[in-house]
C-alpha cells in the first residue's frame, strides 16, 4: 500500500492550513468543557470520574465528526483535485485509509486536548485512571466509526452539506440502534433475531461498555469491523463513480 | 505508447465518446482536436484511469488501464483539464508530495524536483500558496506535476490554456524537447499549436474520430492548399490584377484575402499556380507588397471537418 504515508501527511497538514481546524478544536473544547462542568453536574455529583464527559461525548461527536468527514471526498470532487489524486499510482484503498487516518488523528488531537478535565478530576479526587484511559480509547473508536460512515457518504456526493446531513442521520441511527426509538420501527414485523442483530449494532451500547472501563475485545472488534466495513464501502463508492 | 480501441463512453443518453480507436507510438506528439464537448477530456480521463469506459479498452505502454491500473499510471504523466491541485499547498510542498507518492527518493528526488522547477520557471513562486498564483502559474504547477517523474507517456489536457505568449512558446519548446522517445498527447483549441509542436493530429466531434493525419496532410485538405495570396500596392490595380489572375492555368477562383487589400487565388486540386502567377506579375510589372504561397488553413479544415461530420 504505497502512498499512504505521503497522502496521510498531506491531508493532516491541510487541516491546519486553514483556520477551520483551530475553530473546530476551540468549539469542541468549549462544548466538551461546558457539557461536563455545568450541564453534567461535574462538581455536584461528588464522584471522581469522567462519566459526565463520556456521557455527552457521543452527542458532541454526532455533529462534530460529520463536520470533519464531510470534506474528506466531497471537497476533492468539487474542486477537481480528486482527478489528480485518483490518477496517481496509489490503490484507492490506500487513499481512503490515509484520508481516514488523517481525519482520525485530527479528531484524536482535539480529544487529547481535553486533558485538563482529566487533570482536574485527579486533582479533586482519586479516579480509576484505567477506566478513563478505556473511555478515551472508546471515544476514539466511536469517532472512527462516525468518520468512516462520513467518509463513505462524502465519497458519494460533491456537496459537503448533503454529506454532512446524511452522515448525521446515519450516525444517529447507528448510535441509537439498540434503543426503543430505532427498535420500535422494526418491532412487530421483524423477527426477534433481526431485532437483536440491529440492537447489537448500536454504537452507544458498545461505547458505554468501554467507557465504564470494561475493555471487552468484542466491543473493540465491533468498532474495528464497523470502520473497516465503511471504509471498504468508500472504495466501492469511488469505484462505482468511475463508471458513472 | 498509447493504444485506444473501440472506446465508448455514455453519460445517460449523452454519447461523449463513440467507438474511438487510435494508436500513438514513441516519438510522436499527437494533437487532439475537436470542438467543445467533442469528448477530448473524456478520452483522456479514460486513458488516465479516472473514469471507466462504457466499452472498449485503453492501454498505456502495453498496460491495460483497467487490468493493470498501477503499472499504467506509473508510466503516465497526466495533466487533467483545468490543472487541478490543492489550493492551500505551495508548489514546493505539492511537488514534494507528488514525488513521494510516485516513490522518488534521495538524490534522484531532489534532482527531479529542481530540474522541473527550473524548466517551468517556478522558482519565484515556490513558497506561495497555489490559490494565490495567477492562472498561468497554476497551469505550470500542473505541468510540473505531470513531468516530475520523467514519464515515458504524457497526456496533457490543454497544457497551454491561460499561458501568456512567452510561456506558450516555452511550454511548446519544452514539449518538443521532451518528445524524443516519449509518447505525448495534447489537446488544444489553438490550431497553430498543432503546426508548432505536433507530428500528428486527430480531429474528433461528438465523440467520433473524423480525421487522423499529419498537420501537413490536414492542411493539404484545405481549399487554401497551394493558394497564392498577394497584395497590390495600389488599390486601383486590384480589379485588373484580379481579372488577370482568373485567367491563369491552375487557378480555380479568386477571392478577397484575410486582410483588406489582399487577393487570394485558389488552386485547382493538384495544381501549383505560384510559379505561373509570379511569372505573370513580373511580365506585367505589377507593383505588389506581398506575394506568398499558402500551405492551407487548419482552422478552415477544422471547421469543415467538424461541421460536416465527415472528412472532406
Ligand atoms: N460527468 C459527466 N456527466 C454527464 N455528461 C458529461 C460528463 N462529463 C462530460 N460529459 C459530456 O460529455 C461530452 C464530452 O465532454 P468532454 O469534456 O470530453 O469534451 P471536450 O472535448 O473535452 O470539450 P472541451 O473542448 O470543452 O474541453 C459533453 O457533451 C459533456 O457535456
Ligand atoms: Mg476538455
Amino acid at each position: 500500500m504505497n502512498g499512504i504515508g505521503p497522502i496521510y501527511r498531506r491531508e493532516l497538514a491541510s487541516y491546519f492550513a486553514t483556520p477551520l481546524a483551530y475553530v473546530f478544536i476551540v468549539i469542541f473544547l468549549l462544548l466538551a468543557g461546558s457539557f461536563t462542568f455545568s450541564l453534567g453536574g461535574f462538581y455536584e455529583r461528588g464522584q471522581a470520574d469522567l462519566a459526565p464527559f463520556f456521557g455527552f461525548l457521543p452527542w458532541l461527536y454526532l455533529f462534530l465528526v460529520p463536520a470533519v468527514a464531510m470534506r474528506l471526498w466531497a471537497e476533492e470532487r468539487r474542486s477537481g483535485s480528486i482527478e489528480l489524486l485518483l490518477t496517481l499510482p496509489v490503490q484507492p484503498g490506500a487513499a481512503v485509509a490515509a484520508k481516514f487516518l488523517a481525519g482520525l488523528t485530527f479528531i484524536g488531537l482535539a480529544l487529547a486536548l481535553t486533558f485538563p478535565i482529566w487533570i482536574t478530576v485527579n486533582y479533586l479526587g482519586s479516579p480509576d485512571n484505567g477506566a478513563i484511559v478505556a473511555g478515551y480509547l472508546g471515544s476514539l473508536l466511536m469517532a472512527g466509526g462516525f468518520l468512516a460512515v462520513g467518509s463513505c457518504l462524502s465519497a458519494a456526493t460533491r456537496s459537503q452539506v448533503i454529506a454532512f446531513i446524511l452522515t448525521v442521520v446515519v450516525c444517529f441511527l447507528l448510535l441509537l440502534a439498540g434503543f426503543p426509538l430505532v427498535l420500535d420501527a422494526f418491532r412487530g414485523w421483524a423477527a426477534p433475531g433481526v431485532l437483536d442483530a440491529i440492537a447489537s449494532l448500536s454504537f452507544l451500547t458498545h461505547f458505554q461498555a468501554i467507557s465504564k472501563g470494561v475493555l471487552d475485545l468484542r466491543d473493540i472488534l465491533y468498532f474495528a469491523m464497523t470502520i473497516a466495513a465503511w471504509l471498504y464501502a468508500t472504495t466501492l463508492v469511488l469505484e462505482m463513480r468511475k463508471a458513472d | 505508447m498509447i493504444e485506444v480501441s473501440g472506446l465508448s463512453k455514455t453519460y445517460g443518453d449523452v454519447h461523449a465518446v463513440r467507438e474511438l480507436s487510435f494508436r500513438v507510438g514513441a516519438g510522436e506528439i499527437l494533437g487532439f482536436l475537436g470542438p467543445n464537448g467533442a469528448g477530448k477530456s473524456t478520452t483522456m480521463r479514460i486513458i488516465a484511469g479516472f473514469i471507466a469506459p462504457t466499452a472498449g479498452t485503453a492501454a498505456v505502454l502495453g498496460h491495460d488501464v483497467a487490468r493493470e491500473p498501477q503499472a499504467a499510471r506509473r508510466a503516465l504523466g497526466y495533466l487533467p483539464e483545468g490543472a487541478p491541485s490543492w489550493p492551500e499547498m505551495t508548489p514546493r510542498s505539492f511537488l514534494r508530495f507528488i514525488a513521494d507518492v510516485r516513490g522518488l527518493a534521495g538524490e534522484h528526488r531532489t534532482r527531479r524536483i529542481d530540474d522541473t522547477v527550473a524548466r517551468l520557471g517556478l522558482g519565484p513562486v515556490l513558497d506561495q500558496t497555489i490559490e494565490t498564483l495567477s492562472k498561468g502559474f497554476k497551469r505550470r504547477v500542473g505541468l510540473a506535476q505531470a513531468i516530475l517523474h520523467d514519464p515515458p507517456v504524457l497526456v496533457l489536457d490543454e497544457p497551454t490554456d491561460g499561458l501568456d505568449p512567452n510561456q506558450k512558446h516555452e511550454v511548446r519548446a519544452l514539449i518538443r524537447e521532451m518528445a524524443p522517445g516519449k509518447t505525448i498527447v495534447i489537446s488544444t483549441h489553438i490550431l497553430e499549436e498543432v503546426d508548432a509542436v505536433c507530428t500528428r493530429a486527430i480531429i474528433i466531434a461528438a465523440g467520433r474520430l473524423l480525421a487522423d493525419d499529419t498537420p501537413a496532410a490536414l492542411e493539404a485538405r484545405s481549399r487554401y492548399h497551394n493558394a497564392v495570396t498577394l497584395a497590390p500596392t495600389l488599390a486601383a490595380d486590384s480589379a485588373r490584377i484580379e481579372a488577370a489572375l482568373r485567367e491563369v492555368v491552375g487557378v480555380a477562383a479568386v477571392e478577397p484575402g484575410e486582410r483588406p487589400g489582399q487577393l487570394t487565388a485558389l488552386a485547382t486540386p493538384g495544381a501549383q499556380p505560384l510559379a505561373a502567377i509570379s511569372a505573370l506579375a513580373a511580365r506585367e510589372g505589377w507593383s505588389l507588397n506581398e506575394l506568398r504561397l499558402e500551405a492551407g488553413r487548419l482552422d478552415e479544415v477544422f471547421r469543415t471537418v467538424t461541421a460536416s461530420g465527415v472528412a472532406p
Side-chain angles (χ1 to χ4, degrees), chain B residues 191 195 215-230 250-259 262-274 277 292-304 312:
Chain B
L191 294 171
D195 256 336
L218 281 176
E219 278 168 354
R221 298 183 187 192
S222 167
R223 55 197 287 266
Y224 296 101
H225 183 54
N226 286 337
V228 176
T229 292
L230 48 76
V251 170
V254 180
E255 56 181 49
E258 283 174 301
R259 276 193 294 274
Q262 286 183 334
L263 292 170
T264 298
L266 303 179
T268 52
Q272 299 198 359
L274 176 67
I277 290 173
R292 69 181 160 86
L293 177 69
E294 300 233 15
R297 297 181 192 164
L298 273 182
D299 59 342
E300 183 245 343
V301 176
F302 180 84
R303 267 198 307 278
T304 322

Side-chain angles (χ1 to χ4, degrees), chain A residues 2 6-7 9-10 14 17 76-77 79-92 242-244, chain B residues 9-11 45 48-52 70 73-74 78 80-81 84-86 88-89 94 97-98 100-102 145:
Chain A
N2 65 334
I7 297 175
R9 286 194 296 276
R10 199 209 73 74
S14 83
E76 301 255 13
R77 196 170 291 280
S79 79
S81 53
I82 193 170
E83 185 168 353
L84 192 60
L85 182 63
L86 294 184
T87 53
L88 287 170
V90 287
Q91 305 278 357
K242 268 176 79 170
D244 254 2
Chain B
K9 177 72 187 177
T10 56
Y11 291 108
R45 285 190 176 125
F50 179 60
I51 56 178
Q70 304 307 323
R73 283 166 195 190
R74 271 192 293 274
Y78 175 49
E81 184 169 42
S85 61
W86 291 279
E88 77 281 358
M89 297 184 99
F94 178 62
F97 165 71
I98 298 290
D100 291 341
V101 170
R102 290 205 174 269
Q145 160 277 129

